[in-house]
PDB file of all heavy atoms in Angstrom:
ATOM      1  N   ALA C  15      17.644  22.516 -30.860  1.00 96.00           N
ATOM      2  CA  ALA C  15      17.619  23.934 -31.238  1.00 96.00           C
ATOM      3  C   ALA C  15      16.567  24.697 -30.435  1.00 96.00           C
ATOM      4  O   ALA C  15      15.614  24.104 -29.906  1.00 96.00           O
ATOM      5  CB  ALA C  15      17.323  24.058 -32.722  1.00 96.00           C
ATOM      6  N   LYS C  16      16.766  26.015 -30.361  1.00 94.00           N
ATOM      7  CA  LYS C  16      15.770  26.858 -29.690  1.00 94.00           C
ATOM      8  C   LYS C  16      14.727  27.259 -30.732  1.00 94.00           C
ATOM      9  O   LYS C  16      15.090  27.768 -31.799  1.00 94.00           O
ATOM     10  CB  LYS C  16      16.477  28.091 -29.122  1.00 94.00           C
ATOM     11  CG  LYS C  16      15.709  28.757 -28.023  1.00 94.00           C
ATOM     12  CD  LYS C  16      16.453  29.925 -27.433  1.00 94.00           C
ATOM     13  CE  LYS C  16      15.488  30.675 -26.509  1.00 94.00           C
ATOM     14  NZ  LYS C  16      15.921  31.997 -26.247  1.00 94.00           N
ATOM     15  N   GLY C  17      13.492  27.019 -30.451  1.00 96.00           N
ATOM     16  CA  GLY C  17      12.459  27.338 -31.433  1.00 96.00           C
ATOM     17  C   GLY C  17      11.963  28.764 -31.341  1.00 96.00           C
ATOM     18  O   GLY C  17      12.291  29.483 -30.392  1.00 96.00           O
ATOM     19  N   ARG C  18      11.179  29.184 -32.346  1.00 97.00           N
ATOM     20  CA  ARG C  18      10.593  30.526 -32.338  1.00 97.00           C
ATOM     21  C   ARG C  18       9.336  30.520 -33.200  1.00 97.00           C
ATOM     22  O   ARG C  18       9.165  29.638 -34.045  1.00 97.00           O
ATOM     23  CB  ARG C  18      11.599  31.559 -32.849  1.00 97.00           C
ATOM     24  CG  ARG C  18      11.904  31.420 -34.319  1.00 97.00           C
ATOM     25  CD  ARG C  18      13.136  32.191 -34.742  1.00 97.00           C
ATOM     26  NE  ARG C  18      13.215  32.276 -36.204  1.00 97.00           N
ATOM     27  CZ  ARG C  18      13.506  31.267 -37.023  1.00 97.00           C
ATOM     28  NH1 ARG C  18      13.738  30.037 -36.535  1.00 97.00           N
ATOM     29  NH2 ARG C  18      13.550  31.443 -38.327  1.00 97.00           N
ATOM     30  N   MET C  19       8.478  31.491 -32.996  1.00 98.00           N
ATOM     31  CA  MET C  19       7.290  31.624 -33.837  1.00 98.00           C
ATOM     32  C   MET C  19       7.661  32.412 -35.098  1.00 98.00           C
ATOM     33  O   MET C  19       8.334  33.440 -35.008  1.00 98.00           O
ATOM     34  CB  MET C  19       6.165  32.356 -33.098  1.00 98.00           C
ATOM     35  CG  MET C  19       5.660  31.672 -31.837  1.00 98.00           C
ATOM     36  SD  MET C  19       4.970  30.029 -32.085  1.00 98.00           S
ATOM     37  CE  MET C  19       3.394  30.417 -32.831  1.00 98.00           C
ATOM     38  N   VAL C  20       7.210  31.914 -36.252  1.00 98.00           N
ATOM     39  CA  VAL C  20       7.485  32.595 -37.527  1.00 98.00           C
ATOM     40  C   VAL C  20       6.149  32.858 -38.224  1.00 98.00           C
ATOM     41  O   VAL C  20       5.264  31.994 -38.231  1.00 98.00           O
ATOM     42  CB  VAL C  20       8.404  31.717 -38.429  1.00 98.00           C
ATOM     43  CG1 VAL C  20       8.658  32.420 -39.774  1.00 98.00           C
ATOM     44  CG2 VAL C  20       9.719  31.415 -37.732  1.00 98.00           C
ATOM     45  N   ASP C  21       6.009  34.052 -38.789  1.00 98.00           N
ATOM     46  CA  ASP C  21       4.761  34.429 -39.476  1.00 98.00           C
ATOM     47  C   ASP C  21       4.817  34.069 -40.956  1.00 98.00           C
ATOM     48  O   ASP C  21       5.839  34.299 -41.613  1.00 98.00           O
ATOM     49  CB  ASP C  21       4.516  35.937 -39.350  1.00 98.00           C
ATOM     50  CG  ASP C  21       4.160  36.330 -37.924  1.00 98.00           C
ATOM     51  OD1 ASP C  21       4.162  35.433 -37.056  1.00 98.00           O
ATOM     52  OD2 ASP C  21       3.878  37.517 -37.684  1.00 98.00           O
ATOM     53  N   TYR C  22       3.721  33.520 -41.461  1.00 98.00           N
ATOM     54  CA  TYR C  22       3.599  33.199 -42.891  1.00 98.00           C
ATOM     55  C   TYR C  22       2.238  33.696 -43.370  1.00 98.00           C
ATOM     56  O   TYR C  22       1.278  33.743 -42.599  1.00 98.00           O
ATOM     57  CB  TYR C  22       3.678  31.686 -43.132  1.00 98.00           C
ATOM     58  CG  TYR C  22       5.002  31.068 -42.738  1.00 98.00           C
ATOM     59  CD1 TYR C  22       5.146  30.416 -41.520  1.00 98.00           C
ATOM     60  CD2 TYR C  22       6.098  31.122 -43.594  1.00 98.00           C
ATOM     61  CE1 TYR C  22       6.348  29.836 -41.143  1.00 98.00           C
ATOM     62  CE2 TYR C  22       7.320  30.553 -43.228  1.00 98.00           C
ATOM     63  CZ  TYR C  22       7.434  29.912 -42.003  1.00 98.00           C
ATOM     64  OH  TYR C  22       8.641  29.350 -41.645  1.00 98.00           O
ATOM     65  N   LYS C  23       2.177  34.036 -44.664  1.00 97.00           N
ATOM     66  CA  LYS C  23       0.891  34.411 -45.279  1.00 97.00           C
ATOM     67  C   LYS C  23       0.504  33.290 -46.242  1.00 97.00           C
ATOM     68  O   LYS C  23       1.343  32.829 -47.019  1.00 97.00           O
ATOM     69  CB  LYS C  23       1.022  35.706 -46.077  1.00 97.00           C
ATOM     70  CG  LYS C  23       1.433  36.915 -45.246  1.00 97.00           C
ATOM     71  CD  LYS C  23       0.220  37.623 -44.688  1.00 97.00           C
ATOM     72  CE  LYS C  23       0.663  38.890 -43.950  1.00 97.00           C
ATOM     73  NZ  LYS C  23      -0.333  39.340 -43.004  1.00 97.00           N
ATOM     74  N   VAL C  24      -0.746  32.865 -46.198  1.00 97.00           N
ATOM     75  CA  VAL C  24      -1.248  31.938 -47.217  1.00 97.00           C
ATOM     76  C   VAL C  24      -2.481  32.573 -47.850  1.00 97.00           C
ATOM     77  O   VAL C  24      -3.284  33.216 -47.161  1.00 97.00           O
ATOM     78  CB  VAL C  24      -1.600  30.532 -46.655  1.00 97.00           C
ATOM     79  CG1 VAL C  24      -0.368  29.696 -46.401  1.00 97.00           C
ATOM     80  CG2 VAL C  24      -2.437  30.628 -45.397  1.00 97.00           C
ATOM     81  N   THR C  25      -2.586  32.407 -49.162  1.00 95.00           N
ATOM     82  CA  THR C  25      -3.689  33.056 -49.876  1.00 95.00           C
ATOM     83  C   THR C  25      -4.522  32.017 -50.624  1.00 95.00           C
ATOM     84  O   THR C  25      -4.067  30.899 -50.879  1.00 95.00           O
ATOM     85  CB  THR C  25      -3.148  34.084 -50.885  1.00 95.00           C
ATOM     86  OG1 THR C  25      -2.209  33.426 -51.733  1.00 95.00           O
ATOM     87  CG2 THR C  25      -2.464  35.250 -50.191  1.00 95.00           C
ATOM     88  N   GLU C  26      -5.732  32.424 -50.945  1.00 93.00           N
ATOM     89  CA  GLU C  26      -6.665  31.616 -51.731  1.00 93.00           C
ATOM     90  C   GLU C  26      -6.877  30.216 -51.140  1.00 93.00           C
ATOM     91  O   GLU C  26      -6.839  29.212 -51.840  1.00 93.00           O
ATOM     92  CB  GLU C  26      -6.196  31.530 -53.191  1.00 93.00           C
ATOM     93  CG  GLU C  26      -6.233  32.886 -53.884  1.00 93.00           C
ATOM     94  CD  GLU C  26      -5.741  32.812 -55.332  1.00 93.00           C
ATOM     95  OE1 GLU C  26      -5.785  31.723 -55.908  1.00 93.00           O
ATOM     96  OE2 GLU C  26      -5.316  33.855 -55.843  1.00 93.00           O
ATOM     97  N   ILE C  27      -7.085  30.189 -49.855  1.00 97.00           N
ATOM     98  CA  ILE C  27      -7.372  28.918 -49.169  1.00 97.00           C
ATOM     99  C   ILE C  27      -8.877  28.659 -49.258  1.00 97.00           C
ATOM    100  O   ILE C  27      -9.677  29.526 -48.902  1.00 97.00           O
ATOM    101  CB  ILE C  27      -6.919  28.983 -47.689  1.00 97.00           C
ATOM    102  CG1 ILE C  27      -5.398  29.174 -47.592  1.00 97.00           C
ATOM    103  CG2 ILE C  27      -7.374  27.763 -46.914  1.00 97.00           C
ATOM    104  CD1 ILE C  27      -4.575  28.035 -48.150  1.00 97.00           C
TER     105      ILE C  27
END
Side-chain angles (χ1 to χ4, degrees):
Chain C
K16 201 177 170 199
R18 69 195 193 288
M19 299 299 285
V20 179
D21 290 3
Y22 297 99
K23 299 271 184 201
V24 283
T25 54
E26 295 179 23
I27 297 296

